[in-house]
Amino acid sequence: MAMRTVLIQTDTAVAAELNPGESATFGRGADDVPVDVVIADRAVSRLAGRITAVDDYWLISNLTADRTFVVENPEGGGEFVKVPPQRMGMPVPFEFSRVILPAEHGTTGFLVFAPEHVYGKTATAAASGATTMGVFPLDRSSKYFLILVALCEPRLRDPSSTVVPTVPQLIERLAGHGLTRSGVNFHIDYLARTKLRVKQAEDAGKADWQRAALINLALRFNLVTDADLRLLPSGSGTRPDIS
């Protein structure tokens, strides 16, 4: 079996390559505090953390006393995990990750590439009893799915975005598909009530709760992914502002 390595990459080069069981430290470093991955920022601790390779995933330890790190999946729909101070050996589930540290001017960090994850094959053993019921039955060729993709677009393009596209923005983004305000509202209501069955939270007071709930559910369960953005018009319409 080929060795499965974890790569740590800064803006300029690969800073470390770890075999399973090996570790690398990161931080600002100093003459008496050497680190494997140097983050040259005055707001980063000399010894900020440690990364340990474990087969097809990796662990991160936060060695600081008062700083929280964030590990995000740049390829996902806003997935991230927080690493609180003194958290040791937290498993990171992403194949491709960005470690983000508080910095003097905003944030800084580096990338971590884990080996490709191992998946099993679906068992086809005969079983008795009722057939397992399907969930979230979406027709990816339908207009309601196109609207769902347009709803999720800001978060897919920028995981930190909090934008929930309005109905007029959806109509403009999907120009050429013959959508009207009442038509978009119908599809959103159909998605919410029938397809994804989202429910209004007790404290949900905003008028856009239904659209926000659809976005959260679709991205949480990978019902919409980056690959679906190709369904959206490229030469017409306006993308909602994701800033």
Side-chain angles (χ1 to χ4, degrees):
M1 180 178 178
M3 189 64 72
R4 303 170 66 81
T5 59
V6 170
L7 298 179
I8 305 174
Q9 181 174 320
T10 63
D11 291 337
T12 56
V14 173
E17 182 173 350
L18 307 176
N19 294 320
E22 295 180 341
S23 296
T25 54
F26 60 89
R28 188 168 89 253
D31 291 341
D32 56 342
V33 186
V35 293
D36 301 298
V37 181
V38 177
I39 310 297
D41 188 284
R42 293 192 304 174
V44 174
S45 299
R46 291 176 176 82
L47 180 59
R50 180 174 58 247
I51 287 172
T52 302
V54 185
D55 199 19
D56 65 342
Y57 68 100
W58 51 283
L59 310 175
I60 184 169
S61 297
N62 185 341
L63 304 179
T64 71
D66 59 355
R67 316 266 171 117
T68 294
F69 305 155
V70 173
V71 183
E72 68 175 17
N73 177 10
E75 298 180 318
E79 301 111 325
F80 69 92
V81 292
K82 294 181 180 180
V83 190
Q86 296 297 300
R87 175 64 164 94
M88 298 290 111
M90 175 183 284
V92 177
F94 314 133
E95 291 183 33
F96 174 36
S97 306
R98 180 183 292 113
V99 178
I100 303 174
L101 314 175
E104 184 177 10
H105 301 290
T107 60
T108 186
F110 52 90
L111 301 175
V112 179
F113 298 86
E116 184 177 355
H117 290 175
V118 177
Y119 294 90
K121 295 183 179 179
T122 302
T124 56
S128 59
T131 303
T132 303
M133 186 179 71
V135 293
F136 308 140
L138 297 174
D139 178 0
R140 307 181 86 81
S141 65
S142 65
K143 281 190 177 180
Y144 69 71
F145 185 75
L146 190 65
I147 290 171
L148 184 60
V149 175
L151 274 172
C152 296
E153 182 182 19
R155 283 264 296 275
L156 285 171
R157 297 193 184 279
D158 179 4
S160 65
S161 173
T162 58
V163 170
V164 177
T166 64
V167 171
Q169 286 175 325
L170 291 171
I171 293 172
E172 186 176 5
R173 182 68 182 98
L174 300 174
H177 287 271
L179 292 169
T180 62
R181 178 182 288 269
S182 60
V184 170
N185 282 325
F186 170 82
H187 286 301
I188 289 174
D189 190 65
Y190 178 63
L191 279 164
R193 292 177 182 273
T194 304
K195 289 297 183 179
L196 302 188
R197 301 182 298 281
V198 299
K199 296 181 180 180
Q200 183 173 6
E202 293 182 1
D203 58 349
K206 294 184 178 180
D208 63 358
W209 75 265
Q210 204 173 48
R211 283 173 280 126
L214 288 172
I215 293 169
N216 290 335
L217 183 65
L219 295 180
R220 181 177 298 139
F221 291 102
N222 281 340
L223 305 180
V224 176
T225 66
D226 287 330
D228 295 312
L229 292 175
R230 61 181 175 78
L231 299 174
L232 299 177
S234 57
S236 61
T238 303
R239 296 175 182 172
D241 183 4
I242 61 175
S243 60

